Amino acid sequence: MIRHSFIALLLAAAPAALAAHLAGQSHTPPGTGVVPVSKDRLLVAPSDATHYVVVSDSAKHGDIWRWKQADGATALRYSQSLRGWITETDAVVRYGTNGLPVALTVRGVSPNGDAAEQFALGPDGQASWSSASEKGSGKGGEAYYLSIEAPPLIASVLMERLAAAGEAGVPTLPSGRAILTRASVATIAGPNGPEQLELAFVRGLGLSPSPVWLKGGQFWGSIGTISMVPAGYEAHAKRLRELQETTVPCSSPTAGSSASARVDRSAHPPEHD
C-alpha cells in the first residue's frame, strides 16, 4: 500500500470548515463515495499559492499547489497527466497544536480510482481513517498519519518533523516509525544567488531508504526519474539526481527494525511505465 502523511479538517469543525473551503466550487460534501469528485469541482489554488511541478528529463507532467485557508487549514491541489495516468485531487488538512495532523479530507481521482479519503483524530486520542481501499482505527498518540491519496506535497510537514527529530524518528500510523538521516550537501543557483541544499534519506516508509532534499531543515523537493521540485527549479533536477545516485544512504541503528510494511509515496509522485 502506498501512502502519504497528512490530515484535513478538525473533527468537530469539519462540516462548517468544508463549506467555507468549497463555497462556489463544489456542492458535494467530501468523503468516500461511489463517484469521484470531478475536476471542475475541486479546489482552485490562489495566485500566491506555493507551486511545485512534477517533471522528468524530457517534460513537465503536473503541478502541485499548497496554500493556507482563511481558517488556518492547509489546502493542496494536485493535477497530473503521466503516460495516460491521470491524477486530479485536492486535500484539506488541519494540524493540532503539537504539529500533528488531526483531520484530513481528500477528494478527486487518481490512478487508483476514487481518491476520496478521510482521517480524524478524536479528543480521546483515537484515530480513524477510511478510503476506497481500506478502513481502520487505532491509538493516535504522537503518531503521524500516512495518507494513501493526498497530494504528495503534503508530506513536506512530515519531512520537516523528521529533520528536527533526528535519530529518534517519528512514529507513524497505521504502523511503524520513520527516521531521517542527513547524507550530503549541494549548491545550486537560485534566483537570488547560490542556495545550499541537503540530501537526506528516510527509512521506515518502505523497503529501502527514500531520498529527500532539504533547504535549511525544510522540505525542498524529491528527485527521481519523476521529480517534484519548486516551480522554476526544473533545470536542477538532473544534476541533483546524479549526485543522489552516487550517495550511499547512511546507516541507522534503529531504522531497520522499525520499517513499516507500507510503501510510502509521501515525497514522491507516482512513476508509471
Side-chain angles (χ1 to χ4, degrees), residues 1-8 64 66 74-76 90-95 99-106 117-120 129 134 142-162 170-180 202-206 210 212 219 228 260 262-269:
M1 183 73 68
I2 47 181
R3 310 193 68 89
H4 295 226
S5 322
F6 36 141
I7 343 306
I64 309 175
R66 180 186 62 208
T74 297
L76 301 103
D90 66 15
V92 179
V93 56
R94 189 178 295 276
Y95 298 93
L100 293 171
V102 295
L104 166 72
T105 296
V106 184
E117 182 179 4
Q118 295 274 12
F119 169 85
W129 54 90
E134 69 172 15
E142 293 299 311
Y144 201 106
Y145 176 65
L146 302 177
S147 167
I148 294 175
E149 296 287 2
L153 187 55
I154 198 169
S156 61
V157 176
L158 174 59
M159 297 301 114
E160 290 153 16
R161 195 174 183 90
L162 287 171
V170 174
T172 57
L173 279 174
S175 63
R177 176 178 294 270
I179 298 171
L180 181 147
V202 180
R203 290 174 171 78
L205 299 181
S210 300
V212 61
F219 175 81
M228 179 176 68
S260 169
R262 298 169 179 269
V263 179
D264 181 41
R265 68 174 177 206
S266 55
H268 298 271

Side-chain angles (χ1 to χ4, degrees), residues 120-270:
L121 182 64
D124 59 354
Q126 280 295 118
S128 61
W129 54 90
S130 64
S131 68
S133 61
E134 69 172 15
K135 182 176 182 180
S137 62
K139 185 67 176 176
E142 293 299 311
Y144 201 106
Y145 176 65
L146 302 177
S147 167
I148 294 175
E149 296 287 2
L153 187 55
I154 198 169
S156 61
V157 176
L158 174 59
M159 297 301 114
E160 290 153 16
R161 195 174 183 90
L162 287 171
E167 288 300 314
V170 174
T172 57
L173 279 174
S175 63
R177 176 178 294 270
I179 298 171
L180 181 147
T181 304
R182 290 175 165 84
S184 63
V185 298
T187 300
I188 63 173
N192 300 312
E195 299 180 16
Q196 182 170 290
L197 305 181
E198 190 172 17
L199 172 62
F201 289 89
V202 180
R203 290 174 171 78
L205 299 181
L207 301 179
S208 61
S210 300
V212 61
W213 289 86
L214 308 172
K215 178 184 176 183
Q218 305 294 301
F219 175 81
W220 183 84
S222 70
I223 303 295
T225 304
I226 304 296
S227 300
M228 179 176 68
V229 298
Y233 286 81
E234 297 90 329
H236 298 291
K238 184 176 181 180
R239 173 175 170 259
L240 292 175
R241 186 177 69 247
E242 292 170 350
L243 293 172
Q244 183 175 288
E245 290 173 348
T246 61
T247 303
V248 178
C250 299
S251 61
S252 168
T254 56
S257 61
S258 63
S260 169
R262 298 169 179 269
V263 179
D264 181 41
R265 68 174 177 206
S266 55
H268 298 271

